[in-house]
Amino acid sequence: MGQTAAGSVGDESKMVRLNLDIADLSADATYYVPVPCVGFLRRIMSCIDGVVSTADVTITPDLNAGTALVGGVITIATANSAAGDVDSAVPESCPRLVVGDYLKFTVAGGGAGGSPRGHVVIEIERD
């Protein structure tokens, strides 16, 4: 596993990317994404469409609603936030993913203000 020119962590030829769109990051909510392949979670990235004006937003992942992914939490800070801001996290501990698993993303920071839309990209390196 290494850093590629494009900034991905892992072997680019084996990378599968999943997308999660969040209509309103200011609303606390939970989202579920099914795992379509066998492999390892390498990185989670987010991008916002507008300002987060009142409180930081966190996006906390776990596996199958029970296995916390250490180092996988994304914090979207209010300070200097603007449309196009990108944040990322590289989980330090994640068991091998298999088809049928799911990733749960808990968004917190209700009242973050501005009702920004968010986009999350999940990178899985296939075995």
Side-chain angles (χ1 to χ4, degrees):
M1 178 176 86
Q3 192 81 8
T4 67
S8 292
V9 179
D11 182 344
E12 188 65 30
S13 68
K14 295 181 176 182
M15 208 61 67
V16 172
R17 290 181 179 86
L18 308 173
N19 295 298
L20 168 64
D21 284 324
I22 300 169
D24 182 358
L25 286 169
S26 68
D28 290 352
T30 303
Y31 300 88
Y32 299 87
V33 178
V35 174
C37 61
V38 176
F40 292 92
L41 181 61
R42 293 299 185 210
R43 183 168 64 172
I44 304 166
M45 298 181 296
S46 69
C47 185
I48 58 175
D49 285 356
V51 174
V52 174
S53 60
T54 308
D56 292 353
V57 173
T58 58
I59 302 173
T60 304
D62 70 22
L63 178 62
N64 298 326
T67 302
L69 304 179
V70 176
V73 177
I74 292 177
T75 299
I76 303 169
T78 58
N80 300 314
S81 72
D85 283 353
V86 174
D87 294 288
S88 64
V90 178
E92 300 166 17
S93 66
C94 181
R96 183 171 179 257
L97 303 173
V98 297
V99 176
D101 282 344
Y102 63 90
L103 296 166
K104 178 178 112 177
F105 293 89
T106 303
V107 176
S115 301
R117 183 174 194 85
H119 310 279
V120 178
V121 175
I122 303 121
E123 292 185 334
I124 298 172
E125 185 175 12
R126 289 178 286 128
D127 276 0

